[in-house]
Amino acid sequence: MKISAWVFATDFLPSKRSFVERLGNKKNLFKDRKPEEVFARLKSSGVDGIELLIPTNFSDVDFKLIKNILDKNGIGVNSIHQPLRWLTKTDIKEVEMLFSVAKKFDAKVIVLHLRSAKGQIFDKSY
């Protein structure tokens, strides 16, 4: 069994925080600590990887930056979590992007909320 900590990619990429993230009361684990300290504490608690919540505009540059931090700290990505959304629905292009990002991180799980997919989840094309 894998034990994951939920980590926002935007903790490392603050300029990419969405309206939803800025609106909420989300705490940044890394605000006053170095990644080395945070990941060491997580690992000592039994965490062996992270669930990485990515923003909608996640780029190859973002991937390289985060991958470098994770590799330096010996922590992998167990799962990729879709971007948070409230009013819009997840389209097929975003689902394809999630699979692409998961492949880059060698993550085996994608977290996609049915609430965000809405009724289109039942369409064959989706």
Side-chain angles (χ1 to χ4, degrees):
M1 172 174 44
K2 299 270 186 183
I3 298 176
S4 299
W6 203 44
V7 175
F8 282 68
T10 55
D11 286 348
F12 303 107
L13 310 163
S15 66
K16 293 202 170 193
R17 286 196 177 113
S18 70
F19 173 75
V20 174
E21 286 179 79
R22 284 183 241 144
L23 184 67
N25 192 18
K26 185 208 156 304
K27 304 287 187 235
N28 182 339
L29 287 174
F30 304 91
K31 182 178 180 191
D32 298 319
R33 295 172 197 89
K34 294 180 180 182
E36 296 80 15
E37 177 187 349
V38 173
F39 288 125
R41 292 186 81 183
L42 288 172
K43 287 194 284 188
S44 72
S45 299
V47 169
D48 58 10
I50 64 168
E51 178 171 318
L52 184 65
L53 182 129
I54 60 170
T56 53
N57 54 354
F58 194 74
S59 70
D60 285 337
V61 172
D62 301 334
F63 163 75
K64 289 174 186 171
L65 180 125
I66 291 174
K67 179 79 168 128
N68 184 42
I69 292 168
L70 298 176
D71 286 350
K72 190 190 299 187
N73 288 282
I75 196 110
V77 176
N78 295 335
S79 56
I80 298 293
H81 193 289
Q82 78 169 99
L84 296 177
R85 59 182 69 258
W86 293 103
L87 303 175
T88 59
K89 61 183 174 181
T90 305
D91 61 20
I92 195 69
K93 184 177 176 182
E94 183 175 310
V95 174
E96 290 170 347
M97 181 268 298
L98 291 169
F99 276 94
S100 175
V101 171
K103 187 174 183 177
K104 287 179 183 179
F105 279 110
D106 197 30
K108 305 299 182 211
V109 174
I110 292 174
V111 177
L112 177 66
H113 292 260
L114 291 179
R115 176 183 50 98
S116 298
K118 307 216 186 257
Q120 68 185 344
I121 194 75
F122 300 109
D123 295 341
K124 284 186 179 188
S125 61
Y126 190 76

